[in-house]
Amino acid sequence: MTSLPIIDIAPLYSDNQNAWSEVAAQIDHACREWGFFYIKGHPISAARIDAVLDSARHFFAQPATEKLKIDITQTRHHRGYGAIATEQLDPGKPSDLKETFDMGLHLPADHPEVLAEKPLRGPNRHPSVPGWEALMEQHYLDMQALAQTLLRAMTLALGIERDFFDTRFNEPVSVLRMIHYPPRHTASSAEQQGAGAHTDYGCITLLYQDAAGGLQVRNVKGEWIEAPPIEGTFVVNLGDMMARWSNDRYLSTPHRVISPLGVDRYSMPFFAEPHPDTRIECLPGCQDELRPAKYPTTTCAEFLLSRFADTYAYRREQQTV
Ligand SMILES: O=C(O)CCC(=O)C(=O)O
Ligand SMILES: [Fe+2]
């Protein structure tokens, strides 16, 4: 197979069990072969995507002083604006040429986990863009629901209870991120990484990308192949927590973004992660005498924090104070 599979997930929204199982089998195959696939037939409307994108363009076009009012490096719970070069996904390359906005599940200041200063927990920090907060909070919930539908389909192939993920995604630490990649202007700067090569940290990522292109995926032969934009789809990929859960039956595949030549690029990944206290340990159906569990047990929060420390200098500094 030379190009990434495209899976129509509309049957997951019907009562037809055969069609449901057929989609689950396609997802299972894509997760084993690629760790990457496209989905179409999902319930997120084009009008919603346009509205969210418009707001993201409006936000990123603001002066730096305005954006830095919600500077992510001033928080301990990973919310707000990340300026260019805040993140370095590939330690062998320069910092990423991108700016970001991150939000999570909004927990108010008097929530017990916020009062207890649990990592990654707290209120969202929204910019003062008209209509932004209501739109983004709704979009976050809708993306979370879509991610859980896909996860439910995976439970069949993984041989675990149908509600295995649902029970672990209560008050999740999922992140909705908007990214703006400024253009590079000469072909000779082709090495410039909008996002350096990396694997995602979490369970499952659902990515909207605009028409600019530049996303590349490393196949099992080690070749970089394009994952071009396809209208009406999300690119879905698995992260390291799912690889650990499944004992590498499902792949967490490296990918990167080459900075677009002469045009701006906007993308919106939704990183679905469970409740922070969730134990990430080998699923019962994924280990046997021939394939013992490869990874030590960890928790979602412990794992995410260690990966953030690898890619964000400011988080390493926070850990040492
Ligand atoms: O912007 C993209 O297309 C991909 C971004 C990505 O891989 C990430 O943020 O983890
Ligand atoms: Fe990624």
Side-chain angles (χ1 to χ4, degrees):
M1 209 191 305
T2 54
S3 57
L4 299 171
I6 303 174
I7 301 177
D8 184 353
I9 64 159
L12 298 182
Y13 294 88
S14 77
D15 293 332
N16 181 335
Q17 280 309 301
N18 287 340
W20 198 94
S21 301
E22 171 57 27
V23 174
Q26 287 178 48
I27 292 175
D28 182 55
H29 187 255
C31 292
R32 289 162 178 259
E33 294 285 315
W34 285 98
F36 255 89
F37 55 98
Y38 292 82
I39 53 166
K40 62 179 186 180
H42 59 77
I44 309 288
S45 70
R48 164 67 66 72
I49 294 289
D50 287 349
V52 173
L53 261 186
D54 274 357
S55 292
R57 284 201 193 92
H58 184 132
F59 169 65
F60 288 121
Q62 290 182 327
T65 46
E66 193 57 35
K67 292 184 278 193
L68 286 167
K69 286 182 181 163
I70 51 166
D71 183 359
I72 198 167
T73 70
Q74 301 303 313
T75 69
R76 287 179 165 272
H77 66 300
H78 200 77
R79 310 293 163 105
Y81 172 68
I84 284 172
T86 302
E87 197 177 4
Q88 184 183 23
L89 280 171
D90 181 343
K93 291 273 162 72
S95 295
D96 296 355
L97 188 64
K98 68 181 188 210
E99 53 181 345
T100 54
F101 168 82
D102 281 39
M103 62 178 281
L105 182 71
H106 178 83
L107 294 184
D110 61 355
H111 186 284
E113 291 191 22
V114 182
L115 291 172
E117 297 190 354
K118 276 207 158 193
L120 307 176
R121 293 307 218 181
N124 279 327
R125 300 170 78 229
H126 290 295
S128 53
V129 171
W132 174 285
E133 182 167 347
L135 177 66
M136 297 304 175
E137 291 288 344
Q138 187 58 50
H139 190 53
Y140 179 90
L141 296 178
D142 293 344
M143 292 304 295
Q144 181 66 46
L146 173 55
Q148 283 182 237
T149 299
L150 292 174
L151 287 166
R152 222 168 287 135
M154 283 179 195
T155 58
L156 190 65
L158 289 168
I160 50 181
E161 318 91 82
R162 187 88 173 252
D163 66 352
F164 179 90
F165 293 115
D166 286 329
T167 55
R168 285 159 179 80
F169 274 77
N170 257 331
E171 298 200 327
V173 280
S174 302
V175 170
L176 173 62
R177 164 172 270 207
M178 330 260 136
I179 312 179
H180 168 221
Y181 297 92
R184 66 189 159 91
H185 291 288
T186 60
S188 63
S189 55
E191 269 294 279
Q192 178 61 58
Q193 309 274 296
H198 66 283
T199 54
D200 287 353
Y201 316 153
C203 259
I204 179 168
T205 304
L206 313 183
L207 172 82
Y208 167 84
Q209 52 171 336
D210 74 2
L215 175 63
Q216 297 183 338
V217 175
R218 202 167 77 198
N219 68 14
V220 282
K221 290 191 220 147
E223 303 153 343
W224 288 102
I225 64 157
E226 301 290 330
I230 302 178
E231 211 176 319
T233 66
F234 288 98
V235 176
V236 178
N237 66 286
L238 304 179
D240 298 333
M241 270 195 245
M242 186 58 90
R244 294 171 84 102
W245 244 331
S246 70
N247 211 17
D248 283 344
R249 175 162 147 180
Y250 284 177
L251 304 175
S252 168
T253 304
H255 52 284
R256 66 184 181 187
V257 176
I258 303 298
S259 291
L261 189 57
V263 289
D264 292 275
R265 177 177 194 268
Y266 295 86
S267 71
M268 295 185 288
F270 180 81
F271 303 104
E273 340 273 17
H275 185 278
D277 294 339
T278 306
R279 284 163 68 85
I280 310 297
E281 61 191 335
C282 183
L283 295 168
C286 293
Q287 56 180 313
D288 54 33
E289 272 170 29
L290 293 175
R291 292 171 309 158
K294 290 184 184 175
Y295 301 102
T297 300
T298 181
T299 67
C300 168
E302 207 173 78
F303 188 68
L304 285 179
L305 289 171
S306 76
R307 297 297 306 270
F308 281 156
D310 290 342
T311 53
Y312 286 101
Y314 86 91
R315 293 206 75 101
R316 288 194 287 279
E317 284 154 21
Q318 277 182 352
Q319 285 187 350
T320 56
V321 290

